[in-house]
């Protein structure tokens, strides 16, 4: 991203939830099918068997479609943590860099976590005002 990293406040992140929901509704079935294909290919007695070419081709096509969809989100400054719908938004809370986090199915961005804590360390957003507005607010 030009000019450095993008930071979001809670309102900005929440404005993107409808787009995220639509994107992952489209992508999640592709992710599931690509995983099925990877499992089938991994379980094949001879993974290089030419008869598996169509499965490899389908998997590769799905992976490209998934990458294409998620790249658009990354170009907006979002960090995709899981192709099944786990997204982090960089934010400032006090003097600390943190992530606002959203998971597919959540109606809004309602949690945050420290940069190194990950999803397991997420905490509820008690006051949206704790997260600094950005130049885009």
């Amino acid at each position: 991203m030009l000019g450095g990293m993008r930071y979001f406040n809670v309102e900005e992140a929440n404005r993107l939830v409808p787009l995220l929901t639509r994107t992952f509704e489209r992508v999640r079935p592709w992710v599931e099918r690509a995983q099925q294909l990877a499992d089938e290919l991994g379980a094949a007695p001879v993974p290089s068997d030419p008869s598996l070419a169509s499965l490899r081709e389908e998997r590769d096509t799905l992976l490209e479609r998934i990458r294409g969809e998620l790249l658009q989100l990354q170009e907006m400054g979002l960090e995709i943590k899981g192709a099944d719908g786990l997204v982090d938004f960089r934010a400032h809370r006090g003097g600390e860099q943190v992530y606002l986090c959203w998971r597919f199915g959540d109606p809004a961005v309602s949690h945050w976590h420290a940069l190194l804590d990950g999803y397991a360390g997420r905490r509820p957003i008690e006051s949206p005002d704790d997260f600094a507005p950005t130049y885009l607010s």
Side-chain angles (χ1 to χ4, degrees):
M1 201 180 135
L2 292 176
M5 219 164 268
R6 167 83 194 270
Y7 293 89
F8 295 81
N9 68 17
V10 176
E11 180 184 338
E12 291 168 331
N14 276 320
R15 277 190 226 133
L16 293 173
V17 168
L19 171 66
L20 292 173
T21 300
R22 286 191 307 272
T23 300
F24 285 104
E25 282 173 347
R26 194 168 46 251
V27 167
R28 285 169 60 92
W30 301 342
V31 170
E32 192 175 304
R33 178 64 181 149
Q35 185 59 56
Q36 286 174 341
L37 291 165
D39 292 346
E40 286 178 41
L41 290 165
V46 182
S48 59
D49 184 336
S51 69
L52 300 173
S54 66
L55 294 182
R56 280 193 295 279
E57 187 177 317
E58 182 183 354
R59 179 205 56 203
D60 294 347
T61 299
L62 285 168
L63 292 175
E64 275 307 305
R65 287 168 71 186
I66 293 164
R67 273 194 281 276
E69 290 284 332
L70 300 184
L71 182 61
Q72 293 176 38
L73 299 176
Q74 290 171 316
E75 288 173 347
M76 297 169 67
L78 289 85
E79 296 186 31
I80 310 303
K81 301 298 178 157
D84 60 342
L86 186 57
V87 177
D88 282 343
F89 303 79
R90 260 190 205 257
H92 284 119
R93 184 177 185 269
E96 179 185 16
Q97 285 187 44
V98 299
Y99 285 125
L100 299 171
C101 57
W102 178 85
R103 174 166 228 128
F104 181 76
D106 290 350
V109 175
S110 58
H111 288 77
W112 69 278
H113 60 82
L115 293 185
L116 299 176
D117 285 353
Y119 185 81
R122 69 188 213 142
R123 294 173 256 184
I125 295 171
E126 293 176 15
S127 172
D129 295 336
D130 289 346
F131 301 87
T134 69
Y135 61 92
L136 295 176
S137 296

